[in-house]
Amino acid sequence: MKQTKQLLTLAAALLSTLWLTGCGHSATEQEADTTAVDSAACENTANQADEATPVVTWQSVIEDYLVAHVNKDMRQKWLLLAPCYTIIAIDSSDGNNYRVWGNWWVYAYDHVDTKLITSMAEGFPGLFHLKKTTDGFEVKQFDLVEEGRAIDENVERIFGQYADAYWEANANQERNDSVRCVMMSEYVRKNGLPYTELELESGEPAVKL
């Protein structure tokens, strides 16, 4: 589903409050978690694991897929594309069908000096089917919730028992924006980019990264 997102000003200090619940690294991993997961915390844990085992993480595979499938205008027009997402649930019981439900987004940014400015966003709510490989993971299939009159039915079909968790996560704008701020700070740091501020909406005060 492709959506246009109304972006709000957020608090940048959420990182200390993020925790893993069903991030693919918890003791309850064998059962899909119904709690929406803060993706920045997942990324931090994945980075720690990567230091010991240099494999392709499921996060990086999903992020590459999302950026590769944004609309052509976003790919050609904007300076920087960066994913942001909230994990709804994970089922890792089958290595040949590692399932990750999420509220996935890709944001397009322009910049002025060292300030990133949000230009566009595209949403991809749905379910990733991943397969474990010798290098890590690969995407087998992505079930996208299509927009339109049947969106409620599509969410029920794809998210199943996690449909309510998806709607709750999607409606929590303040939390979603806070997660985006944290993820962009990590993205800038990890890639050695020169940006120090993020403008979430045109004309709004920038947030420090």
Side-chain angles (χ1 to χ4, degrees):
M1 178 178 65
K2 299 181 179 179
Q3 310 172 27
T4 301
K5 192 176 181 188
Q6 186 82 22
L7 304 175
L8 304 177
T9 305
L10 51 86
L14 185 68
L15 183 57
S16 62
T17 69
L18 301 181
W19 191 245
L20 299 179
T21 309
C23 267
H25 304 280
S26 70
T28 59
E29 185 184 33
Q30 294 306 313
E31 296 182 0
D33 187 354
T34 59
T35 304
V37 176
D38 290 309
S39 306
C42 293
E43 183 71 20
N44 290 340
T45 301
N47 290 340
Q48 294 171 9
D50 287 349
E51 293 176 1
T53 308
V55 298
V56 179
T57 66
W58 59 264
Q59 291 97 331
S60 64
V61 167
I62 288 175
E63 290 168 6
D64 290 345
Y65 181 97
L66 292 170
V67 171
H69 286 79
V70 297
N71 68 67
K72 184 181 297 185
D73 184 59
M74 285 182 70
R75 287 199 306 271
Q76 295 179 347
K77 186 173 182 180
W78 303 111
L79 167 77
L80 174 66
L81 299 177
C84 180
Y85 45 87
T86 298
I87 306 301
I88 305 302
I90 296 173
D91 181 357
S92 60
S93 59
D94 182 355
N96 288 318
N97 188 22
Y98 192 105
R99 297 184 296 170
V100 187
W101 292 263
N103 189 21
W104 318 98
W105 287 86
V106 175
Y107 290 85
Y109 299 96
D110 205 340
H111 78 114
V112 174
D113 298 325
T114 60
K115 180 171 68 175
L116 287 172
I117 301 171
T118 305
S119 300
M120 186 181 295
E122 187 171 359
F124 303 83
L127 166 61
F128 274 97
H129 299 265
L130 308 177
K131 179 180 179 180
K132 288 187 177 181
T133 67
T134 55
D135 295 326
F137 291 89
E138 64 182 26
V139 175
K140 291 176 54 180
Q141 178 181 326
F142 178 57
D143 300 334
L144 174 67
V145 174
E146 297 288 350
E147 64 183 354
R149 296 178 63 182
I151 183 172
D152 289 348
E153 290 80 0
N154 289 333
V155 168
E156 289 290 337
R157 176 175 55 84
I158 292 174
F159 282 87
Q161 63 181 308
Y162 311 118
D164 288 344
Y166 163 74
W167 288 120
E168 181 180 352
N170 189 55
N172 194 334
Q173 187 68 63
E174 182 178 359
R175 177 181 178 277
N176 292 338
D177 286 346
S178 297
V179 169
R180 180 159 76 98
C181 185
V182 172
M183 290 192 74
M184 277 308 298
S185 295
E186 176 65 14
Y187 184 93
V188 167
R189 184 197 65 77
K190 184 170 64 176
N191 291 283
L193 301 177
Y195 308 112
T196 60
E197 295 180 294
L198 173 61
E199 187 175 292
L200 297 156
E201 185 176 4
S202 179
E204 294 290 337
V207 176
K208 294 290 185 181
L209 293 175

